[in-house]
Amino acid sequence: MLTRIDHIGIACHDLDATVEFYRATYGFEVTHTEVNEEQGVREAMLRINGTSDGGASYLQLLEPVREDSAVGKWLAKNGEGVHHIAFGTADVDADAADIREKGVRVLYDEPRRGSMGSRITFLHPKDCHGVLTELVTSAGVESPEH
């Protein structure tokens, strides 16, 4: 069961300048940064608030480290802006399977590693009214069968 909006992913050309904008304009501070080589991005997570299930809501700022990464290609085509929305779940495997059974294409056969050690998968935007949608199980949350 989806429990919250985990994060909104925003593609940008210059991560440092974009972080500074969100810090100076809204007072949001970076709580985590990393380079995800598999996804070809350098990212910063800006925590917006905590939630009763122990999770939080974030803005995820994404700068491609390779032009051929998914975010790099998207940025070249669309420019800076909202890239995806991510919903938190205690069990990404079960929710992805349930959503797949409803006819929505799940982009990964098995969830992959995401930000801060999370487990993630994506849903095809053409099946989600034009919105690239991510499902996220935060690190430290074990799926019932995993």
Side-chain angles (χ1 to χ4, degrees):
M1 177 167 106
L2 305 181
T3 58
R4 69 189 183 293
I5 294 175
D6 185 85
H7 66 271
I8 306 293
I10 299 172
C12 61
H13 291 291
D14 182 335
L15 185 65
D16 297 326
T18 307
V19 164
E20 179 55 24
F21 169 81
Y22 281 98
R23 189 202 61 72
T25 306
Y26 305 115
F28 299 153
E29 295 296 335
V30 173
T31 59
H32 177 80
T33 61
E34 71 180 83
V35 174
N36 185 321
E37 292 293 342
E38 180 183 3
Q39 294 182 22
V41 295
R42 184 169 77 106
E43 65 179 78
M45 297 294 278
L46 289 72
R47 184 181 167 122
I48 307 304
N49 68 328
T51 61
S52 62
D53 66 359
S57 294
Y58 298 88
L59 287 180
Q60 178 188 45
L61 306 179
L62 301 159
E63 175 190 61
V65 296
R66 302 186 313 266
E67 290 181 16
D68 68 339
S69 70
V71 172
K73 292 175 188 175
W74 187 91
L75 195 56
K77 180 179 177 182
N78 299 292
E80 294 185 310
V82 174
H83 178 262
H84 67 273
I85 185 168
F87 295 108
T89 173
D91 190 344
V92 67
D93 298 275
D95 283 334
D98 182 54
I99 290 169
R100 182 181 277 123
E101 287 178 12
K102 295 175 181 172
V104 174
R105 287 173 281 179
V106 177
L107 299 183
Y108 303 152
D109 291 332
E110 294 291 326
R112 297 181 181 178
R113 186 191 72 79
S115 300
M116 301 183 292
S118 62
R119 296 182 70 239
I120 66 167
T121 195
F122 286 91
L123 310 178
H124 200 292
K126 289 185 179 178
D127 297 342
C128 299
H129 297 270
V131 178
L132 179 61
T133 303
E134 182 179 2
L135 305 180
V136 179
T137 296
S138 299
V141 176
E142 286 294 320
S143 298
E145 296 179 15
H146 300 277

